[in-house]
Amino acid sequence: MNKHKIAVFASGVGSNFEAIADACASGIIPAELSLLVCDRPEAPAVKKAEIRGIKVFAFSPKDYASKAEFEAEIVKLMDSLEVELVCLAGYMRIVGDTLLQSYHGRIINIHPSLLPAFKGARAVERAVEYGVKVYGITVHYVDSDLDGGKIIAQRAFSYEGADPEEVHSIGQLIEHELYVEVIKTLLSGKHLSEDA
Ligand code: GRF
């Protein structure tokens, strides 16, 4: 039986990428991580992929005339690799129509808040500033509404301090576990689409 093929999009550290790659390598996720897409060629995530021998498409958006142009290239590459599921993990770009139309219902994202609270950037910092006592992580489908797609899974945790770094560290441990669990579940189902 052919293995599922997945892609991860990241812009930074790539700890979620790493967790997903390790879970694929050990068979916890029954898939091959076929591609890392990164919009910052110097990002640590790129090194993490290279060390593991995972194909990388690293690009600088400024080298393209438009988002549609670089997304078309990504779609072409993912089609050729037969990618079934796209996992955004710290990809700091709004996904455009070209990608959304080609991979509708097959793009998911992980966000460090209990959505719909604290959509967008600096979610943890804003939650700390707000003084929330319960934080969380959300995995959701990606659509044209920023951090507004259908929720797949959430995990909450209590924290009474005021240190965003600490919240990040607690949250990231949860992210790695939750994202692997969700990807595994989605791939084991008959349908990947949010419409299913
Ligand atoms: C994660 O906290 C994720 O929730 C957010 O971006 C961060 C990426 O971290 N979308 P990493 O690059 O996977 O370490």
Side-chain angles (χ1 to χ4, degrees):
M1 199 182 85
N2 283 343
K3 260 194 170 180
H4 295 291
K5 311 270 172 46
I6 66 174
V8 171
F9 285 33
S11 303
V13 175
S15 70
N16 281 281
F17 164 79
E18 203 164 33
I20 296 166
D22 289 349
C24 288
S26 67
I28 292 172
I29 294 177
E32 176 188 317
L33 209 182
S34 306
L35 180 69
L36 170 73
V37 171
C38 183
D39 61 332
R40 278 182 52 230
E42 74 288 2
V46 171
K47 271 266 134 29
K48 292 188 166 96
E50 285 170 354
I51 288 166
R52 290 172 166 79
I54 293 169
K55 191 176 180 65
V56 177
F57 178 72
F59 67 103
S60 297
K62 59 174 170 37
D63 295 341
Y64 293 81
S66 64
K67 180 178 290 202
E69 209 174 274
F70 66 71
E71 286 197 344
E73 203 166 320
I74 295 169
V75 165
K76 201 167 146 204
L77 181 56
M78 292 205 298
D79 286 351
S80 74
L81 295 168
E82 300 180 328
V83 167
E84 292 164 61
L85 181 68
V86 175
C87 309
L88 308 187
Y91 182 61
M92 300 302 284
R93 232 155 250 290
I94 293 173
V95 175
D97 288 344
T98 307
L99 254 168
L100 284 176
Q101 277 161 20
S102 299
Y103 279 79
H104 173 77
R106 296 187 292 152
I107 310 177
I108 61 175
N109 180 44
I110 190 155
H111 184 77
S113 79
L114 287 173
L115 290 173
F118 305 107
K119 293 179 177 180
R122 298 184 64 255
V124 167
E125 288 76 4
R126 286 186 289 123
V128 170
E129 280 159 23
Y130 199 90
V132 306
K133 304 293 176 224
V134 177
Y135 294 81
I137 304 298
T138 303
V139 180
H140 63 93
Y141 284 104
V142 173
D143 61 18
S144 53
D145 179 12
L146 180 69
D147 296 327
K150 188 176 167 195
I151 292 172
I152 303 169
Q154 289 187 307
R155 203 155 287 169
F157 60 95
S158 300
Y159 175 76
E160 299 267 344
D163 179 1
E165 281 310 309
E166 214 171 330
V167 180
H168 265 299
S169 321
I170 302 168
Q172 283 230 303
L173 295 177
I174 295 172
E175 286 189 4
H176 302 159
E177 213 181 276
L178 185 64
Y179 218 0
V180 166
E181 215 173 90
V182 167
I183 295 166
K184 189 179 158 183
T185 306
L186 286 178
L187 291 175
S188 71
K190 282 201 173 71
H191 302 285
L192 281 175
S193 166
E194 61 183 311
D195 301 328

